[in-house]
Amino acid sequence: MAAVDIDVPVEIETQIGHQGDLESQAEGFKEQGNVFYSKKDYSEAFNYYTKAIDACPKNASYYGNRAATLMMLCRFREALEDSQQAVRLDDCFMKGHLREGKCHLSLGNAMAASRCFQKVLELEPSNREAQQENKNTTTLLELEQMADAGFEKRDFRKVVYCMDRALALASACHRFKILKAECLALLGRYPEAQSVASDILRMDSTNADALYVRGLCLYFEDCIDKAVQFFIQALRMAPDHEKARLACRNAKALKAKKEEGNEAFKNSNYEAAYQLYTEALMIDPNNIKTNAKLYCNRATAGAKLKKLKQAIEDCTNAIKLDDTYIKAYLRRAQCYMDTEQYEEAVRDYEKVYQTEKTSDHKHRLKTAQLELKKSKRKDYYKVLGVGKNATEDEIKKAYRKRALMHHPDRHSAATPEVQKEEEKKFKEVGEAFTVLSDPKKKVRYDNGHDLEDDHGFDGGDFDANNIFRAFFGGHGGGFTFDSSPGMFFFFPPLQISFSSVVFTENLGGGIRGGAV
């Protein structure tokens, strides 16, 4: 029987011819894409692979090639979509599964990446690239676990270390970048943290995590109003963002409490200010810069309340949090001056002057150095028991009291050790009076000059009895002391009691009456 020719409709012949033309055209686009890819002109390669896909959208290799190009352009999310489309079209497309796994790994999806590499090894058990990449996914999972444990323990340096290693494997993972940036902020490395967050926001301005980290940096730098704006923006993008919600609440509470304390201080309500600063310090221990200011503010209030020891501790805490905080050094130095800890004051003022060489800081340093020098001499004011602003009359009264108290004759019945100690004190009292009762010597002494350099003054070689006799009228035999405690006599024997310390007029005209 003769073969029968079958007529093919013209429309079908046209479609078959057109399809063949499209496939041929698509292959041409692919080949051109390959040329540009080999020249590392990935943008042009991408354009030609896209044309190939448009001409023949059912070809898995075209999606695979475009995925490879997108990976070279670091557009991993788009590359992932193309890789997934390639393996949907051809489940045995080994390169498609390998590229999908690499995209998942770069985006930080270690478990998904592992499944893809396992599929490659099912298709080609000896594939070394898949074997190595599968080991990388295991390493990435371990680094994630280490970072999570470090964050729980507040070991932020360890987290940064783990994230740096993780990002070497997963360079496009925003989650790892955000965790690193958050820990950098918590470590006080704000510029680095801001840089990471800003890079993400340039690519995705709606990224709630990046907005949160950006706000966190501002919050920790005591720019609370701006920080709150970023936290609010993050919550608009992700209403359930718990970290942004907590940070926003803390920022508002900290600002309000600090301002309350400042207002109380301005109104001279130092007790209230002290308490409010204390409450503010309990809000967020992570806010280093603001807490340093709060410690310094509380120290200022404490100094007003004469809580100088606590004020020094607060300044020290402020400096521990921020060792560049000049105001805290100045406040502590003043407290050291007020408590006569001059060496410590000099040390703080030296630190300040090295940092900021102003005339005021130089003056403060010189004053502290002078007080330190003066503190290493005998304190004649302490010897007489008077303040440094004592009047001439107060100095005379103090000498009367101390000279009579330590006069050797009064302690003639005491033990040799006591007699020796009282004689020493009697001499010191005379030496102190010699200096403080002489206006010129007193000025030089107050200004820190060495009086031993003065002509005619030698603190170690003078007769305290001569001073005593001169002060009490110039009669060497004007007093006699009973061996009973608190008793001494004039000649003629007019008894004077030390307990009431009352003086009567010496018959020779040496002492006028008066209570000391």
Side-chain angles (χ1 to χ4, degrees), residues 23 55 107 110 231 244 256 357 425:
E23 288 178 359
L107 293 167
F231 295 144
K357 289 182 167 59
K425 289 180 180 178

Side-chain angles (χ1 to χ4, degrees), residues 52-69:
I53 290 170
D54 291 341
C56 191
K58 299 298 183 182
N59 190 308
S61 68
Y62 298 165
Y63 286 99
N65 285 8
R66 192 169 72 173
T69 303

